[in-house]
Amino acid sequence: MVTKDMNILEAVQKYPVITNVFKNHGLGCVGCMVAAGETLGEGVSAHGLDADAIIKEMNELIAEESAK
């Protein structure tokens, strides 16, 4: 599972499926140079989105993938 405090690149490396959530919300965080030093919470909030809701969506997707 991911948290707001996780580094973006580390989270994506551990759970590649979350890139779908970034894409669905128009976030280019994965390809952004800042992602290496930014947390998921910082990256999502910087775009004016609800970090808690996005993290929840990511964790739901991770759970779905793990159940397969």
Side-chain angles (χ1 to χ4, degrees):
M1 297 309 205
V2 296
T3 66
K4 289 192 296 188
D5 298 324
M6 288 181 79
N7 175 277
I8 294 171
L9 290 183
E10 290 173 6
V12 169
Q13 287 172 345
K14 189 169 184 177
Y15 304 105
V17 70
I18 67 172
T19 59
N20 295 330
V21 177
F22 285 108
K23 290 176 189 173
N24 290 343
H25 292 279
L27 300 171
C29 298
V30 177
C32 178
M33 291 178 59
V34 178
E38 200 167 51
T39 66
L40 287 170
E42 292 168 339
V44 171
S45 296
H47 292 280
L49 298 173
D50 181 349
D52 290 322
I54 301 295
I55 297 301
K56 181 180 179 206
E57 186 177 340
M58 288 178 179
N59 283 323
E60 288 171 353
L61 187 57
I62 291 167
E64 286 175 21
E65 286 294 309
S66 296
K68 289 184 179 178

